[in-house]
Amino acid sequence: MDMRNTWPATQKSEQGDVEKMKDKRFGGFSLKMYLLSVVPAVLLGVLIFMVSSVQLKASLQSMVESRLAVVCETVRSSYDTLIKGDWAYDESTDSFTKGGQDLYATYDLMDTIAASNNIHLSLFYGDIRRMTTILQDNGERLVGTNPVPEAVSKVLNQGGDYFNTNAVVNGDAYYSYFKPLTNADGKVVGMVFAGIPREIVTKVINQSMTSILIVTVVLLVLVVLLVSFLISNLVRTITNCVDSVVSMESGNLNVHAVVGYFNKKDELGRLANSINGMADKLKQVIGEIRSSTGVMKENSDALADVAENTNTSINEVSRAIEDVAHGATSQAGDTQEAAISIETMGMSLEAIVTDVNELASAAEQSQNTSKRAETAMGEDCEAGRNQCECRIQDPGSGERDQ
């Protein structure tokens, strides 16, 4: 199969599916990242705002309490310093005095202190308000009224201080502070009251809470923008990496994973660089494979020719084998006849060997006979020679014998 033809077809058939999956997959991932980052930041901001609001409210109340306590002490110290003597009230004449001096004549002092501190002041003799800076709707001073019962118990009866965050005076709620007024014998005879309308304190608290809320919202917006930027950068890098891998899976190696600005040296940056390097390496390998495929095709064509020639040779060899088989069959018959002839020849050879053996025995006997004859002839020759020598030595005997 030619890879150069199948690869582009596969790439085109799967590219559409890859594009369709992008928005669906990474939209959900981006949403999860935003939820994991922004939602905790928002919840943390809400929690900080609530905690700050509670602490702010408690802090402002503590400040108001301290301020009212200081003012009460200032009023009491001022009267004790300016006017010596005991506190007294004559109900028959409605005279309120200290050391015999008329206290009503000191309203200017009380009004000045109240105005400079933006609060209201009252002086109680017993549990009755005898002097005050609080005005009624008709413009007259609110005198002859009673404090909250807790103030009577805490201050008049126990001689302590008392702070209330919701004391109602003339129909209005006040942050109020009470301190005892004592005579020289230490007896508590009245109270000094310093109060500020709850509405004013609430307004200050609300303004402060609004400021905190604005700061919290601005910080949350900045955090969300920063997180959004970082998430966008992160998701862009991850998306590019995944898209590159998916494209490579579908057969497209012309990819380049883009790294976000803040991810160039982190794990995502190394991942993107690795993907790009892998794509380049795969393109190199596939290029080498394509080159090898061309060479293999040429070698395949050559092998096909060799195979065809080999097939022809095999057919010729097959025909030769058939001829050899026929020849072998004929040769088998000749071989059988030759075997019979060889067997006959063997028998003849055995007879010849027997005759040869007999001839060898006869030859041996002849040799023995020849040796005996030779011996005998030697002996006769020796005797003849001896006899001749005797005749040579005695010629007369021969003649005599004749």
Side-chain angles (χ1 to χ4, degrees), residues 295-340:
V295 175
M296 290 177 63
K297 188 176 184 302
E298 295 176 358
N299 294 335
S300 177
D301 294 338
L303 287 174
D305 295 337
V306 172
E308 185 176 357
N309 295 332
T310 302
N311 188 31
T312 302
S313 300
I314 289 173
N315 292 332
E316 293 177 356
V317 170
S318 297
R319 287 194 296 269
I321 290 173
E322 290 178 359
D323 295 339
V324 170
H326 289 296
T329 302
S330 300
Q331 189 176 2
D334 296 338
T335 301
Q336 186 175 4
E337 293 177 358
I340 295 172

Side-chain angles (χ1 to χ4, degrees), residues 251-296:
N252 179 21
L253 297 181
N254 296 319
V255 298
H256 181 74
V258 181
V259 183
Y261 179 78
F262 293 100
N263 303 121
K264 292 183 178 181
K265 295 183 179 181
D266 60 7
E267 289 77 4
L268 289 177
R270 293 197 295 270
L271 175 62
N273 293 332
S274 297
I275 291 174
N276 294 333
M278 182 173 62
D280 295 338
K281 187 65 176 179
L282 285 175
K283 285 191 289 186
Q284 180 182 354
V285 171
I286 290 175
E288 294 175 355
I289 291 175
R290 287 178 177 175
S291 300
S292 300
T293 301
V295 175
M296 290 177 63

Side-chain angles (χ1 to χ4, degrees), residues 5-264:
N5 296 329
T6 59
W7 190 280
T10 304
Q11 176 180 343
K12 291 178 181 179
S13 63
E14 296 183 359
Q15 190 69 29
D17 296 335
V18 173
E19 295 295 333
K20 292 178 181 178
M21 293 173 63
K22 287 182 180 179
D23 296 334
K24 188 174 182 180
R25 287 186 287 114
F26 295 106
F29 177 75
S30 300
L31 179 60
K32 291 178 182 178
M33 292 294 294
Y34 279 111
L35 290 177
L36 290 174
S37 302
V38 175
V39 171
V42 173
L43 293 178
L44 180 61
V46 173
L47 180 61
I48 292 175
F49 172 72
M50 294 176 64
V51 173
S52 299
S53 299
V54 172
Q55 292 181 345
L56 174 65
K57 185 177 181 180
S59 177
L60 287 176
Q61 288 180 352
S62 178
M63 290 175 61
V64 170
E65 180 181 1
S66 298
R67 181 183 177 189
L68 293 177
V70 169
V71 172
C72 284
E73 184 62 30
T74 301
V75 172
R76 188 174 63 177
S77 299
S78 298
Y79 275 100
D80 288 340
T81 302
L82 295 175
I83 304 174
K84 305 296 182 180
D86 292 337
W87 301 87
Y89 177 76
D90 186 354
E91 189 173 355
S92 61
T93 59
D94 188 27
S95 61
F96 186 34
T97 62
K98 185 177 190 305
Q101 296 186 19
D102 185 14
L103 293 176
Y104 293 136
T106 62
Y107 259 122
D108 291 341
L109 175 62
M110 181 179 288
D111 290 339
T112 301
I113 296 174
S116 62
N117 290 278
N118 195 25
I119 60 176
H120 289 292
L121 297 174
S122 296
L123 291 177
F124 288 83
Y125 190 85
D127 60 350
I128 303 298
R129 182 178 278 107
R130 297 303 177 182
M131 294 179 64
T132 185
T133 60
I134 301 174
L135 301 178
Q136 301 182 60
D137 294 337
N138 57 10
E140 295 182 357
R141 296 182 186 273
L142 185 68
V143 295
T145 58
N146 302 109
V148 293
E150 293 81 359
V152 175
S153 174
K154 293 286 186 180
V155 180
L156 290 179
N157 298 336
Q158 300 178 19
D161 295 351
Y162 175 68
F163 175 71
N164 192 305
T165 61
N166 194 28
V168 178
V169 180
N170 195 30
D172 296 326
Y174 280 78
Y175 280 83
S176 56
Y177 200 95
F178 296 85
K179 275 183 173 294
L181 296 175
T182 60
N183 286 332
D185 57 1
K187 181 180 178 181
V188 178
V189 295
M191 297 179 294
V192 59
F193 161 87
I196 183 170
R198 184 180 178 88
E199 181 181 359
I200 296 176
V201 177
T202 302
K203 184 178 179 180
V204 173
I205 292 175
N206 291 337
Q207 289 176 348
S208 301
M209 291 177 63
T210 301
S211 300
I212 292 176
L213 179 61
I214 292 174
V215 172
T216 302
V217 171
V218 171
L219 290 177
L220 282 177
V221 170
L222 293 177
V223 169
V224 169
L225 291 177
L226 178 61
V227 169
S228 299
F229 177 74
L230 294 177
I231 290 177
S232 177
N233 187 77
L234 177 66
V235 171
R236 187 185 306 114
T237 301
I238 295 176
T239 302
N240 288 329
C241 291
V242 175
D243 288 345
S244 298
V245 173
V246 173
S247 297
M248 291 169 61
E249 179 185 7
S250 65
N252 179 21
L253 297 181
N254 296 319
V255 298
H256 181 74
V258 181
V259 183
Y261 179 78
F262 293 100
N263 303 121
K264 292 183 178 181

